[in-house]
Amino acid sequence: MTSGSWISRLGAPFVALILIVGLVSPVRAIEDARKVGVVSFGLFGDQGVFRAEATGAAQVVAARFETASIDLQYNSKKGGHATIEALASSLQIVASRLDPEKDVLFLILTSHGSPDGLAIKAGRLTQTLTPSRLADMLAKTGVRHKVVVISACYSGVFIPRLANPDVLVITAADAHHSSFGCQDKAKWTYFGDAFFNVALRQATSVRDAFLDASLLVRRRERREHFEPSNPQMAGGENVLPLLVERP
């Protein structure tokens, strides 16, 4: 039996059904696609590397994932408005443009760090963003799935307060060590370069990007005789499957 004869026997309704099924799948794929809202803050204005890293990291994430909204802010030697209050406002604004159950809020913070939290320097204003304060900000967004990447010394102090199955936390160091590469005119810190500029551009998943970046950082620190910073990744079991690469 030829293809023409069996099609004619089945009739027009079956042909129409085939056409409908063929059209539904792509439409559903588009509708089900998760979008990412990006908030990226360079917090310490006295060194230009944090401004450059916040900018570059936001660009890489936007190129990698389907983005719904991007809010980039940074401080410079002349001042700036990247403060704790501005961060809280930015998170709320970007979150309002996301589906709270379906989409992903992606936060990038780059600065100097201490066991107390992240340093903020905006002109004469100095602040410390603590893990508790950041946890409270993120909870108030109402967005279920979140990614937090913190490039700073001692940034592992944020993991106990932030990481859970719905919140993926990636840090440049553990809670007891420094990270490196904060030179004023640099474009990236060691971790920012390894994770955003190299690994995330080409890895098949965020998990693989972290593993690749950790290896790159360790090799560089060993070469330069630095004590290991020990980048960390925790939580996010429900988030990682949602971070699908942009078509």
Side-chain angles (χ1 to χ4, degrees):
M1 184 181 295
T2 66
S3 60
S5 61
W6 69 258
I7 289 176
S8 63
R9 285 170 179 260
L10 290 173
F14 184 75
V15 174
L17 178 60
I18 293 174
L19 293 174
I20 291 171
V21 171
L23 289 173
V24 166
S25 296
V27 171
R28 283 181 179 170
I30 294 171
E31 291 176 347
D32 291 341
R34 267 71 176 183
K35 291 187 177 180
V36 174
V38 182
V39 175
S40 187
F41 270 51
L43 296 171
F44 201 86
D46 284 1
Q47 289 172 295
V49 64
F50 302 116
R51 168 183 176 177
E53 183 158 280
T55 303
Q59 291 171 345
V60 172
V61 173
R64 182 70 192 264
F65 305 110
E66 190 69 35
T67 51
S69 180
I70 301 174
D71 192 344
L72 167 67
Q73 296 192 43
Y74 49 78
N75 297 319
S76 70
K77 294 177 182 179
K78 296 180 179 179
H81 302 285
T83 64
I84 289 176
E85 295 74 20
L87 177 60
S89 177
S90 178
L91 287 169
Q92 290 294 329
I93 291 170
V94 172
S96 71
R97 298 167 183 163
L98 301 175
D99 184 312
E101 288 295 321
K102 176 178 168 183
D103 295 332
V104 179
L105 179 61
F106 200 120
L107 173 62
I108 302 159
L109 298 173
T110 178
S111 182
H112 289 296
S114 74
D116 294 325
L118 294 179
I120 296 174
K121 183 72 161 60
R124 295 182 179 179
L125 175 67
T126 60
Q127 298 175 310
T128 299
L129 176 60
T130 64
S132 296
R133 187 72 181 271
L134 182 57
D136 183 58
M137 288 184 197
L138 291 171
K140 288 180 178 178
T141 65
V143 177
R144 176 182 174 184
H145 300 109
K146 296 177 278 287
V147 177
V148 181
V149 181
I150 305 177
S151 179
C153 296
Y154 306 99
S155 44
V157 298
F158 284 86
I159 287 176
R161 290 304 309 268
L162 302 184
N164 63 54
D166 290 332
V167 183
L168 174 66
V169 182
I170 295 173
T171 64
D174 64 22
H176 308 288
H177 289 89
S178 298
S179 55
F180 303 98
C182 300
Q183 292 85 357
D184 183 31
K185 295 183 179 180
K187 291 185 177 180
W188 300 94
T189 63
Y190 287 11
F191 179 79
D193 185 38
F195 181 72
F196 289 108
N197 193 37
V198 178
L200 193 59
R201 293 184 190 272
Q202 56 195 25
T204 56
S205 69
V206 173
R207 185 189 301 277
D208 287 345
F210 172 78
L211 294 174
D212 292 346
S214 297
L215 181 59
L216 291 171
V217 169
R218 182 68 189 99
R219 287 174 177 170
R220 188 169 182 178
E221 290 171 341
R222 187 183 295 119
R223 246 185 354 255
E224 300 183 16
H225 307 290
F226 290 143
E227 188 173 353
S229 55
N230 301 321
Q232 302 288 301
M233 182 171 75
E237 294 87 351
N238 298 332
V239 183
L240 285 167
L242 307 181
L243 295 170
V244 179
E245 186 176 2
R246 180 193 290 273

